């Protein structure tokens, strides 16, 4: 029995040896690199080239290349976009390189071009709410910018500009024929835009994007030439160095086979071509106040508010009564403050001022509001808070004539005698130079039902009554004084007003 088992082992070992020998020659003709995955993928059967695409030498050659001097992360898989870690507030160089071949884009030879550098959101979800996200950041960090240009360290840049309402962008001119480097500083960190902040959360990625333009026929830098961007994450100071070290140590622990699935870390980050940013360059390239449409907003919300230094003790009767209600009071609660903002067309800032009482909002200076809301809305909000009215086109002073003859003589003499009550004039502010506006304002001031006023007359020479027309109102002198009386209409329906 033992002999039979021994013979089985010998036969089995012989078969295994013969099988191994039969396989030993497979792949020898392919050489040492036969089992290299890169060589296998290079075989024609694995290539998925589109025959309609041009060859490499025929592909479009980008006119510029932008290289950021910051290392890429080693923990990025093949065929994924590179990721670069930056420290908050640290200056990083972006080299602006002329990549043109002979004869490419000859119209910019010897001329300057304009580049706009932005820090924007990488996630599409955050791009849709970018305005609200940046407004919230601006409120939490008043006076700070998301992106700055380190001008002393930069080389070759000309006419640098920043816009107070565009905290995430800088722009400058540069000559492609000369060495140019822009040093940027990113002040926002990735975890500031995470929905929940409990510690240890994963920060959102940003993008650094560069858009370059040439001059058009009118000398304005609006013709797009080239755009490129890269993905970044921003950490608190020294945080990017620690994250880079952690990624490197993780990769060192992986097997050689696993490492093949990841990109190597490069010392610099090359920005890849992309589409231009949608709002370039009209929104703020010209840096002109005319670009802010809110300056032309209609003034009806404040035009009827009477001047605070009016000499009339009852001047509030002149204007529209609801105008005084619209004024924000220091005692206003949070809810009342929010309602006031909505009524006065500041709905986009209700979230920023969600915890403000009326007193808190009224304490803000003009500079504070411009910094928080931008120039256009900041000035508008300041004027609304201070109840600044538009200057009226015509001011009249009107007093109701007393019925007693003695008081009529006192009014004609312009004074009073003894213990007689002095005449009190009311200021009438006209925004429209029409007769109906005079009647309406008189009705408001003296509590006369407007629908009962039939006509308004002015007493002329020899006591004649002249109908007050639009043309007459347009010829009134500013700050004219009038006494007025009322007489019943002939048919008994309503009254006539006579100005003297």
């Amino acid at each position: 029995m033992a002999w039979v088992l021994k013979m089985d082992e010998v036969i089995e070992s012989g078969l295994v040896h013969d099988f191994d020998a039969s396989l030993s020659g497979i792949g020898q003709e392919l050489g040492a690199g036969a089992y290299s995955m890169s060589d296998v993928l290079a075989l024609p059967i694995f290539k998925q080239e589109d025959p309609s695409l041009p060859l490499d030498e025929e592909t479009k050659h980008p006119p510029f290349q932008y290289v950021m001097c910051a290392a890429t992360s080693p923990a990025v898989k093949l065929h994924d976009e590179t990721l670069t870690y930056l420290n908050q507030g640290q200056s990083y160089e972006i080299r602006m390189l002329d990549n043109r071949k002979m004869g490419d884009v000859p119209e910019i030879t010897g001329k300057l071009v304009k580049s706009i550098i932005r820090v924007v959101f990488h996630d599409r979800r955050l791009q849709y709410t970018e305005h609200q996200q940046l407004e919230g950041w601006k409120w939490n960090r008043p006076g700070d910018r998301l992106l700055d240009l380190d001008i002393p360290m930069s080389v070759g840049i000309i006419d640098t500009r920043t816009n107070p309402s565009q905290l995430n962008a800088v722009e400058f001119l540069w000559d492609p024929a000369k060495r140019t480097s822009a040093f940027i500083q990113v002040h926002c960190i990735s975890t500031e835009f995470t929905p929940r902040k409990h510690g240890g959360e994963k920060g959102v990625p940003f993008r650094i994007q560069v858009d370059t333009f040439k001059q058009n026929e009118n000398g304005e830098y609006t013709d797009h030439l080239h755009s490129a961007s890269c993905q970044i994450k921003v950490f608190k100071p020294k945080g990017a160095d620690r994250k880079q070290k952690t990624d490197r140590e993780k990769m060192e622990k992986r097997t050689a086979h696993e490492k093949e699935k990841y990109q190597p870390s490069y010392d610099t980050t090359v920005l890849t071509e992309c589409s231009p940013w949608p709002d370039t360059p009209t929104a703020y390239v010209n840096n002109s106040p005319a670009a802010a449409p809110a300056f032309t907003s209609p003034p009806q919300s404040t035009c009827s508010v009477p001047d605070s230094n009016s000499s009339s003790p009852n001047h509030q009767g002149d204007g529209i009564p609801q105008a005084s209600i619209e004024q924000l009071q220091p005692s206003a609660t949070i809810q009342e403050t929010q309602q006031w903002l909505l009524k006065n067309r500041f709905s986009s800032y209700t979230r920023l001022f969600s915890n403000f009482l009326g007193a808190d909002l009224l304490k803000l200076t003009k500079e504070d509001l411009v910094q928080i809301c931008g120039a256009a809305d900041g000035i508008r909000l300041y004027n609304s808070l201070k109840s600044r009215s538009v200057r009226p086109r015509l001011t009249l002073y009107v007093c109701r004539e007393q019925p007693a003859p003695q008081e009529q003589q006192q009014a004609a003499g312009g004074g009073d005698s003894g213990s007689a009550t002095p005449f009190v004039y009311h200021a009438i502010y006209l925004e429209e130079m029409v007769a109906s506006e005079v009647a309406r304002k008189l009705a408001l001031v003296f509590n006369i039902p407007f629908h009962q006023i039939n006509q308004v007359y002015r007493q002329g020479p020899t006591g004649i009554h002249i109908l007050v027309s639009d043309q007459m109102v347009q010829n009134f002198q500013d700050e004219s004084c009038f006494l007025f009386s009322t007489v019943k209409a002939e048919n008994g329906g309503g009254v006539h007003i006579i100005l003297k």
Side-chain angles (χ1 to χ4, degrees):
M1 187 68 180
W3 180 81
V4 174
L5 292 174
K6 186 175 182 181
M7 284 298 295
D8 289 341
E9 291 176 3
V10 170
I11 293 171
E12 185 177 353
S13 63
L15 289 173
V16 170
H17 177 75
D18 292 341
F19 184 72
D20 290 341
S22 65
L23 294 176
S24 61
I26 293 178
Q28 289 181 356
E29 294 180 359
L30 297 177
Y35 298 103
S36 171
M37 182 59 68
S38 59
D39 290 339
V40 173
L41 291 175
L43 294 174
I45 192 173
F46 291 104
K47 289 188 177 181
Q48 299 180 1
E49 295 179 352
D50 189 345
S52 63
L53 293 176
L55 299 177
D56 290 344
E57 56 269 19
E58 297 177 3
T59 56
K60 186 179 178 182
H61 194 71
F64 303 109
Q65 190 175 51
Y66 318 115
V67 180
M68 184 165 62
C69 296
T72 61
S73 168
V76 177
K77 291 188 176 182
L78 288 172
H79 310 300
D80 284 351
E81 186 179 10
T82 60
L83 176 60
T84 304
Y85 303 133
L86 304 183
N87 287 316
Q88 179 189 26
Q90 182 173 327
S91 296
Y92 291 91
E93 180 185 9
I94 297 181
R95 296 173 183 169
M96 317 290 289
L97 305 176
D98 186 356
N99 199 36
R100 292 176 296 159
K101 290 182 178 180
M102 186 69 68
D104 286 354
V105 200
E107 62 269 21
I108 65 171
T109 302
K111 295 184 179 180
L112 299 176
V113 295
K114 169 178 279 185
S115 287
I116 302 176
I117 302 179
R118 285 180 173 79
V119 56
V120 296
F121 290 113
H122 174 76
D123 294 340
R124 185 78 63 182
R125 175 181 57 84
L126 291 172
Q127 288 178 9
Y128 291 139
T129 60
E130 180 179 279
H131 178 73
Q132 291 87 344
Q133 297 286 343
L134 298 186
E135 287 293 336
W137 186 90
K138 183 168 64 173
W139 174 246
N140 293 325
R141 303 268 298 274
D144 289 349
R145 292 182 55 83
L146 282 85
L147 182 69
D148 267 328
L149 204 58
D150 191 342
I151 297 176
M153 293 189 68
S154 299
V155 178
I157 63 174
I158 307 167
D159 192 19
T160 60
R161 294 186 184 182
T162 57
N163 191 314
S165 63
Q166 297 283 339
L167 302 181
N168 63 329
V170 294
E171 68 172 40
F172 54 87
L173 303 179
W174 59 288
D175 187 349
K178 297 180 180 178
R179 181 198 164 200
T180 304
S181 290
F183 281 78
I184 62 166
Q185 298 171 337
V186 183
H187 298 291
C188 55
I189 60 176
S190 294
T191 53
E192 287 184 285
F193 298 97
T194 51
R196 297 179 182 84
K197 297 179 174 60
H198 300 299
E201 58 275 345
K202 194 174 181 180
V204 300
F206 301 118
R207 300 195 70 79
I208 293 291
Q209 176 153 339
V210 182
D211 298 291
T212 299
F213 303 86
K214 65 179 180 180
Q215 286 180 309
N216 60 12
E217 303 81 19
N218 300 324
E220 299 172 345
Y221 292 91
T222 56
D223 289 352
H224 179 255
L225 278 173
H226 183 246
S227 294
S229 64
C230 67
Q231 184 181 190
I232 64 169
K233 278 191 175 183
V234 186
F235 297 81
K236 291 182 179 179
K238 301 292 182 69
D241 305 320
R242 290 192 294 269
K243 178 62 175 172
Q244 188 81 356
K245 181 181 178 182
T246 302
D247 285 358
R248 189 168 56 248
E249 290 174 349
K250 285 182 179 179
M251 292 306 301
E252 289 173 354
K253 295 178 182 178
R254 296 182 183 272
T255 64
H257 178 68
E258 289 176 330
K259 288 180 181 178
E260 288 181 356
K261 300 177 182 178
Y262 291 85
Q263 301 179 22
S265 176
Y266 299 100
D267 293 335
T268 57
T269 303
V270 179
L271 279 67
T272 56
E273 284 192 277
C274 65
S275 301
W277 196 249
D279 61 354
T280 58
T282 56
Y284 104 103
V285 165
N286 295 329
N287 203 19
S288 170
F295 277 119
T296 60
S297 58
Q300 49 271 42
S301 63
T302 56
C303 67
S304 58
V305 179
D307 202 354
S308 59
N309 58 3
S310 171
S311 59
S312 168
N314 298 316
H315 67 272
Q316 68 269 20
D318 151 28
I320 301 173
Q322 56 267 31
S324 60
I325 299 174
E326 297 247 348
Q327 184 176 357
L328 183 65
Q329 301 298 326
S331 58
T333 63
I334 291 177
Q335 190 174 13
E336 290 170 345
T337 304
Q338 293 285 300
Q339 291 174 353
W340 184 89
L341 288 169
L342 291 170
K343 280 184 180 179
N344 289 273
R345 296 177 291 115
F346 295 105
S347 57
S348 58
Y349 301 102
T350 52
R351 178 173 170 269
L352 290 177
F353 300 118
S354 58
N355 295 318
F356 273 60
L357 298 168
D360 298 329
L361 205 55
L362 289 166
K363 287 177 184 177
L364 296 176
T365 64
K366 184 177 182 180
E367 292 72 23
D368 293 335
L369 294 170
V370 167
Q371 185 66 40
I372 295 168
C373 306
D377 284 341
I379 293 173
R380 190 167 66 88
L381 179 54
Y382 176 80
N383 289 338
S384 298
L385 288 171
K386 304 304 177 185
S387 297
R388 289 196 170 188
S389 61
V390 176
R391 183 175 178 83
R393 299 180 64 185
L394 182 66
T395 301
L396 304 176
Y397 301 113
V398 183
C399 175
R400 190 162 195 166
E401 189 176 40
Q402 302 296 330
Q406 296 84 357
E407 293 178 352
Q408 292 179 7
Q409 293 174 3
Q410 292 171 3
D416 60 280
S417 61
S419 59
T421 304
F423 293 98
V424 177
Y425 283 77
H426 296 262
I428 302 294
Y429 302 101
L430 302 182
E431 282 78 40
E432 295 182 72
M433 305 280 279
V434 292
S436 60
E437 181 79 347
V438 175
R440 188 174 68 85
K441 291 298 180 75
L442 287 171
L444 286 171
V445 172
F446 298 99
N447 297 320
I448 302 172
F450 180 70
H451 66 277
Q452 290 187 9
I453 299 177
N454 290 347
Q455 297 292 346
V456 179
Y457 299 99
R458 182 177 182 181
Q459 186 169 298
T462 67
I464 63 174
H465 293 166
I466 307 167
L467 180 66
V468 175
S469 63
D470 295 348
Q471 189 174 4
M472 180 182 287
V473 174
Q474 292 164 11
N475 283 279
F476 279 163
Q477 289 188 356
D478 196 25
E479 298 191 336
S480 297
C481 297
F482 294 98
L483 288 171
F484 90 97
S485 59
T486 58
V487 295
K488 289 186 177 181
E490 298 78 11
N491 56 8
V495 294
H496 299 308
I497 291 180
I498 302 172
L499 300 176
K500 301 178 182 180

